[in-house]
Each structure stands twice: as structure tokens, then as C-alpha cells.
Amino acid sequence: MATFTERMAPVLVLWLAVSLSGTWAVDKGNFKTCDQSSFCKRQRALKPGESPYRALLETMELTNTRLTLQLINDNNKVRLLLELYRLQGNITRVKINELKPLKLRYEVPDVLIRDPPTEPLSLLSQDENGVVLSLGAESQRVIVSARPFRLDIMEGREVLMSLNSRGLLAFEHLRMRKDTSQADPEAEKKEETDPAKQAETAKEEEEKVEDGMWEETFKSHSDSKPNGPSAVSLDFSLPGVEHVYGIPEHADTLRLKTTENGDPYRLYNLDVFQYELYNPMALYGAVPVMLAHNAQRTTGIFWLNAAETWVDISSNTAGKTVFGKMLDYVQGSSETPQTDVRWISESGIIDVFIMLGPTPKDVFAQYASLTGTQAFPPLAAVGYHQCRWNYNDQEDVTSVDAGFDEHDIPYDYIWLDIEHTDGKRYFTWDPHKFASPKEMLQGLMDKKRKMVAIVDPHIKVDTNYKIHNEIRSRSFYIKNKDGGDYEGWCWPGSAGYPDFTRADMRDWWASMFAYDQYEGSMENLYTWNDMNEPSVFNGPEVTMHKDALHGAWEHRDVHNLYGFYVQMATAEGLIQRSGGVERPFVLTRAFFAGSQRYGAVWTGDNAAEWDHLKVSIPMCLSLGLVGISFCGADVGGFFKSPSTELLVRWYQTGAYQPFFRAHAHLDTPRREPWLFGPENTALIREAVRQRYTLLPYWYQQFYHAHRTGQPIMRPLWVEYPEDPATFALDDEFLIGRDLLVHPVTEEGARGVTAYLPGKDEVWFDVHTFQKHNGAQNLYIPVTISSIPVFQRGGSIIPRKIRVRRSSSCMMHDPYTLYVALNPQRTAEGELYIDDGHTFNYEKEFIHRRLSFANNLLSSVNLAPDAQFSTRSWIERIVILGASKPSKVILKTDDGQESQLEFDFDSSMSVLTLRKPGMNAGVDWNVMLQ
């Protein structure tokens, strides 16, 4: 009989053939539609109507922290338990579970950073129809209607959100299978002695057993479903809302589309080869968070469930033309716009957090209070990363590193993909190609540069491989449905998959990054977790069988958490190896809610096509809205080969996205920045240098994201929430509040039209200093060197103009302050400085407020208790929109006054103060007289 390896060899050969061809698109047949996913098909067949659920008001219990109430399904008499919590920060939590399940149902652990603190709920009124509860401020209240069960959240007379208003609450209760001998005798015995269960059983026997409830087949794969049907579903109605966002990851527009005429959006982490654009198919990550926005309010829904999930969206204004909407207005149509959303998950419970805003920034803070904020990366990680599959050997690494110096292009990290290992055994090095890894790493360290090496979570089954032997001996592998170690096919061939849901497994994995365990590693080696959906080449939908076992839980319960746990354990390993001193950098492909706490993500295996460049913007914007700010796309496209124009435009776009990495497939021609002729090299050099000059501002944005949960790369509506013209824009974006970027993403473009928001705003072109008024569509002629970027009037942005070979080399260099004036307001900005790499930023840093008002520019300490000093100084101040002064006086913290030299360009109203020379960490002011 052929061995597993022999039988699976053709599968790997086929996978490699497809991967290396670089010409195939996604095979949609490998991935399920809703109709092919039995629980989705079953739930979607339920149409809006009167809900069979009613609230049993006599069971209500109200304590200081929560309300509990039983719900009953009048069709089958199964009871559910509703729990309602008012949480701190204007959040309402709703949990629904079976009152008496046959066995425990999965509740997602580890994603919430703490048990969310509650605030008192108070009863306002009650009768036989329902109860009214106060949510505290702003006359907010919850109305629980009894028959049928419905929940409305109101503010004053306005309904903010309704749950089960369309009657689509569904909860498939756990039950015994009646048609086979697989039933559990103990559970049957329990049923027989429980009168409530007997009543349920009688009803169940009347229920239709549908295909896919107890077993399901997709292509050649069978899912045994020992627990039977267990799906949960709930609908939410959003009156007054036409724009919803979030639920990444999808290669789609920023504004989510309605789904009535196709599949719902799917959340199920998958390794999708050459994914298609502008459709709701699942991709590598899943964050079950949706934001709803109109000119009056922003709200959010966080559906805490890690199983396969589908999200249906409908709208009563979908499909209406602008003329149709105008006609409604003229005719006095009374129909209020409304968006309806329905969440469907395969297993687990309903656990939903309703974030009530009311502003976008409030919603970001609310979500951050639940799942944490973006990890604060080392400064170097905000620089440029050079990657491909694969740099061939140490000599290749040395040559590429030297090429950046030769062509005067800065970079911080060079990356190694899977071929650097000894036979795809992670935590090892190829003994021939990378025989002296420490020597290679030391060479990079001497230039103040770093390396990232890939460590994937599939482990080669090989008794001569230490990592495999350790995991097997500790029984840390995920098990198959029969209790043996689960094995699948991935890059090494036959592979085991560690059970990262286990804390002891994660602890062990973290310990493998210690310098004495990970041979050849040094402090400038960081980590990339790929293939962690998990990818199983011979598995259903290229992933793990749902009936694989993580202890007591099936893989179906935890699937979307797997990549989250892999990145968590890896980040912890990098922290531990330094004794808790150094900040980690870990890139992950798969992710879930809370992944922002552990590092960066990228948009996966894109292609060298213009539409992939365009879609990188809404993909990263969507991730930022749900907490994951450290996002980027493979510059140049992973598959295929970009034209020189596309490559240049991608560098220009990537330089203004949070994670800036070039990457390419094994089968593509080399594309280091200097291989396309001197003109293109110069264009790419300029884009990368723009990134490095702005590192102080980028780093400051990461600091704020870490402290507050606000996105770094953000849609315009976040800052201009009352301007409908911004609500669907996704070809331009803001970095923080003060930089607006409209990359050129059209082939052969001779101009772009950028919307400059804000009727009271002025915007300055950062390259020409040309001033433009806000609230206008501005046509901008472009050449191949153009990157349209604007600084908001009323802002101060620090830059470092002296670009060196890496960010660390620029550590002590001076700052130039760009002050953009708006006559209607004080110009404000910040300066944030720390050591760039340790956790000492908690107490050792410089944080200063910069402001310009009444011709006085000043620097004031925002953190007087923080201790840190810098050798950097202010070498230049450029004031845009200025008038010419007669003289300029600098006053420093020691009381010294001096007169500064200046230049004034009257044609552009730009004042440049030369060599003020004060230390960047002290108090000072500059007076224009």
C-alpha cells in the first residue's frame, strides 16, 4: 500500500505547478459558496417575518450589572438565555446561549483584553409587552419586546439599532442524532430524565433532517459533524444608515455592498491562490466588526464568534440612482434609509458588542477598550522592507544589501522566505546556502539593518527534526477526529499542526525563539508567520478539516482564531528572548479581532496588476477601521511581473501606507529597485526617501494608534463625518489627521481628481507648497514622478530631511518643522521621540506639543514626568501661508534670546527659518515680528 507521502506527492506537484505558473487565477471551485455551506444555505432560507422567539418576562432577573431573561422558541419549545450588559464607554453587550445545552458551546477566549467593566442598568418601566431599561447618558435606553422577542436601542425618540426586528434570530440547539447508533447513551439518559428535554425531543422528531446537518461533503472531503447542526444567526436593523464598512478581509470597496443578489460576505480564514477582486469571498483574515455611519452618528457591531461566518447586507436604498433619490426627495417620500445586516455563524454562541459612538473616534476607542490597540512597533519596522521568495543564499543577501548602498536607497529589513531553511524545517538554516547565519546578521547589524525570517506553523513530520519530536512527545499537535495527530500537506510535505489554542503549547513555542534554541538567530532577526489560516494543501478549501480536535473543541469552533494565536505566541517569543526589553516585530497573514496587539498584517498574495494596486487602499482602510493599523500590500504585486510604470506607482503608493514592503514570487524576474534603468531607479529612490523623511510623523501616528486605538491610515469620513461626499471615497486617504494622499493608480494617468474636504480648511501641496481651499474636487496634472500629497492648514508636521541608509542611522539627526497655516485656527502638531526599540517608551520618552498662534510658534512639554533626552535639534522651520516678518526672535528655555535668519518666498507665501539650532526636547518659542 502506498504511503501517505507517496499518495500525496501528486497533490504537492500540482500545487507547485499552479503556484509557479504565475498565470492561473483563483479556482472558485475550491471554495464554498453559501449554497455549498449547509448551515449558510439553511439559515439563508429563513425569510424575514415574525420571529418564533418570545421573551418570558416572568424569568427576568435584573442585578446591578446585568439583565437575564429566558427566550422560548414557540416552534420547538427550546429555551435560550439572554444576557444584557451595559458596559463602560457607551457599549451594550448581548449574549444568547442555550439555557440547558447538551454540552458546552464554545465561547471565544483571549480576544478581549479583560472582562469588560459594567455600569448599572436600571429598570424604567415594565408591562406584559416588555421592559424598558436605561443606558444612562443622553436618554439612551433599551426596549425589550416580549412577543415576538425584539430588542431596540434608542436615544430620545430615535431608534439607533434594532435586533431581531426582521425575525431572523436562529439558534440551532445541540441535540442527539436519532437515525444512527452514534448517540451518546449518557446524554440520552439525561434527556429521558429531564421533562423539558422530553418535550424538546418530541418536537425535534417532527423537525426535518436536512442534508448537511449531521455530515457534509465538499468535493472529496467529508465533515463528520458529530455535534450536528449548531448554527446561530441574528439580524440587526440600522435606521438612517446607508453606509457600512469593515468585516475584513475582502478584496473589495471600502463601503460594503448589499448582498441580496449574490453570496453574503464570508469570514473564514483561507489561503486563496491569486484572489479575485471586488467580490465577497473569504480571504486570509477575519475581523467580525462592522461600522455604520451617517452624518449624525457612527456605531459599530462586534460579533465575537470564531467559526465560519457569513454576513448578509440589504438596504432599502440599494440600487436607487441619484435621480431616484432626488425624486424621492422632491415627492416628499417618507421612507427613511435603512441598512439591515444579518450575521450567520456555524457554531458557538451569540455574543455581540454594540458600540454606540456617537463619533467615529468614540467607536474606535470603544472597540480598543474591548480588544486592545495596535502594538507599538520598533521604529525600524515603519521603514522600508525588501523581500522576495527567495534570496538564494548569504552571498545574495550581501549583494542586495550592497545594492541599496550603491544606489543610495534606504531600507531597514531584508527578508528570507521558506527556502532559507533546511528542507522547510522552521527554526533552521540551509547548511549550504546559509551556513553562517550569525555572520550574515552581524554584517547587517554593522550597517544598523535587520532581517526577517519566515517561521510557519506547519511542522515537517520527520523524526530527525527536533521541533517535531518535541511537539509530538508533548502531544501538542492538533488531533484528527479519531484522536491521532492531524497531518496535512504543506511546503515540507507531510506536516503536523501545533495546537496554538493551548496556552502550554504557546509557551513552548515562544521558548523556541530563545537565542540558545533558535540556532543562528540574533537580536536583529525578526519573524514572519505565513500560511497560518492554517493552510493545508490537501484539506477542504485548502485548510483544516472542521472535525479536527483542539482538546474538547472542534476546529470548526476555533478556526478563525488559529492565526491570531500563532502571532501571539511568536510575538511573546521575541519579547521573552530579550528578557522583556525589546519590542517585537511579527508579520502575520491570518488574523482575527485583537490581532492588532501582536504586530502587522499584509493583504496576502496579490498580483502585479493595476486593479490590485487600487484595491490595496480600501483593503488597508477597512483593516484600520477595525483596529489593525499596521497594514500594507506587497509592493509590485506578488504574482506576475509589473511594468516599470506599475512598479513605480506601487512604490509611490506603498510609501504612504503603514507597512511598506516589496515582495515577489519565486517564479518572477528579479525586481530590486535598481534593475529598471536609472530613471526608474531615481523615481523609486525618491518615493522611498519620502517615506524616510516622514518617519517622525509616521512614528507619532503609531504611538497614537497604540495609545488610543485610532487608525493611522484613515478614510476621509473619519475626520469629516458630516460630509457625505467623503462617505464612499476609497482612492484617497488621510495619514493621521494632517496628511491627505491621493496616489496615482491608473495606468498612463495624466491627472487625478482629489477631493479636498472641509469648507473651512486649506490644504498645501507638500511638494510645491501651492495652497488650495477645502470642499472642492481638485484636478491635479501628474507626471510619472508625481505623488499627490497635501498637508492640512492648521497643522505642524516634523520631518527629517537627511536620509541615511536606515532609520537607526537617522536617530540623532535634526528635525525640520513644516507649519501649515490656516488663518481661522491655531496650527498644532506634536513631536514624539523615544529610543525607537524598547518598552522603555512607557516611561522614557519626549512628547511635545507644537503650536503657532498670534505669530508665536512654541514647543511645550506634554509629559513632564517622562525622562528622556535627545541629541536631535531643530535645524529648519518652514511656515506655509505666512506673511513676511521684519524680524524673527528665538527664545529658549534658559532665557536666551537670539535673532534668526530667514528667507521669504513672496510668490508662495513661504517663510523659512534657517538654523534655529535648539534641542528638540526643550521648551522654546519663536516670535515673528
Side-chain angles (χ1 to χ4, degrees), residues 430-720:
D430 185 299
H432 306 293
K433 296 179 178 179
F434 294 91
S436 309
K438 284 194 173 180
E439 182 182 307
M440 172 181 63
L441 288 164
Q442 187 61 53
L444 293 170
M445 190 179 288
D446 291 344
K447 292 184 173 183
K448 298 190 176 180
R449 287 174 176 154
K450 298 168 176 62
M451 173 172 276
V452 172
I454 201 165
V455 178
D456 286 350
H458 49 260
I459 302 300
K460 184 178 178 70
V461 175
D462 175 3
T463 54
N464 294 315
Y465 179 26
K466 178 186 79 170
I467 298 290
H468 164 71
N469 290 338
E470 287 264 345
I471 295 173
R472 175 161 284 178
S473 69
R474 295 167 186 259
S475 197
F476 280 164
Y477 279 127
I478 296 168
K479 308 303 179 190
N480 59 37
K481 64 179 181 180
D482 301 316
D485 287 348
Y486 179 93
E487 288 188 19
W489 203 259
C490 209
W491 295 126
S494 188
Y497 291 78
D499 187 354
F500 284 90
T501 67
R502 294 178 55 166
D504 52 356
M505 165 60 213
R506 296 195 300 272
D507 290 344
W508 176 84
W509 179 267
S511 74
M512 289 299 98
F513 288 90
Y515 299 123
D516 61 352
Q517 293 289 335
Y518 188 169
E519 291 183 17
S521 66
M522 289 175 54
E523 56 267 34
N524 64 333
L525 180 67
Y526 295 81
T527 308
W528 169 20
N529 295 145
D530 198 2
M531 315 298 286
N532 55 341
E533 293 75 26
S535 180
V536 183
F537 292 166
N538 62 322
E541 302 191 87
V542 201
T543 194
M544 187 168 286
H545 293 74
K546 287 180 174 177
D547 54 9
L549 295 173
H550 301 253
W553 303 108
E554 286 190 286
H555 185 71
R556 86 181 70 250
D557 300 311
V558 307
H559 175 85
N560 285 345
L561 283 173
Y562 192 75
F564 164 86
Y565 278 130
V566 173
Q567 190 187 24
M568 173 196 287
T570 301
E572 186 57 35
L574 296 191
I575 293 169
Q576 285 180 12
R577 73 177 185 181
S578 71
V581 172
E582 297 290 331
R583 287 178 244 164
F585 171 73
V586 182
L587 179 73
T588 183
R589 190 169 73 177
F591 51 84
F592 189 67
S595 288
Q596 66 270 14
R597 305 198 298 264
Y598 305 112
V601 306
W602 91 108
T603 62
D605 297 341
N606 59 3
E609 297 171 359
W610 286 92
D611 279 348
H612 275 266
L613 168 59
K614 289 174 196 167
V615 86
S616 72
I617 298 172
M619 288 182 79
C620 280
L621 287 172
S622 295
L623 280 160
L625 289 176
V626 299
I628 301 177
S629 271
F630 206 174
C631 168
D634 287 344
V635 169
F638 179 68
F639 290 112
K640 306 183 181 180
S641 297
S643 66
T644 52
E645 182 191 3
L646 175 57
L647 184 65
V648 167
R649 290 302 192 200
W650 214 317
Y651 268 98
Q652 292 171 342
T653 303
Y656 286 91
Q657 292 177 344
F659 178 54
F660 184 23
R661 181 185 76 150
H663 187 35
H665 189 280
L666 185 73
D667 199 39
T668 61
R670 295 289 285 255
R671 60 169 92 137
E672 284 72 44
W674 49 88
L675 297 179
F676 301 88
E679 288 183 5
N680 290 305
T681 301
L683 291 166
I684 293 170
R685 177 191 301 117
E686 174 57 24
V688 178
R689 288 175 67 89
Q690 285 187 33
R691 172 60 162 232
Y692 276 77
T693 62
L694 271 171
L695 280 181
Y697 182 73
W698 276 108
Y699 195 52
Q700 187 176 297
Q701 300 314 308
F702 273 95
Y703 179 73
H704 279 294
H706 176 62
R707 289 295 189 202
T708 68
Q710 308 298 314
I712 295 172
M713 178 180 171
R714 57 186 73 159
L716 271 61
W717 64 260
V718 168
E719 293 296 333
Y720 300 91

Side-chain angles (χ1 to χ4, degrees), residues 96 225 602 734 755 837:
I96 303 176
K225 297 197 176 178
W602 91 108
L734 293 163
Y755 180 67
H837 60 96

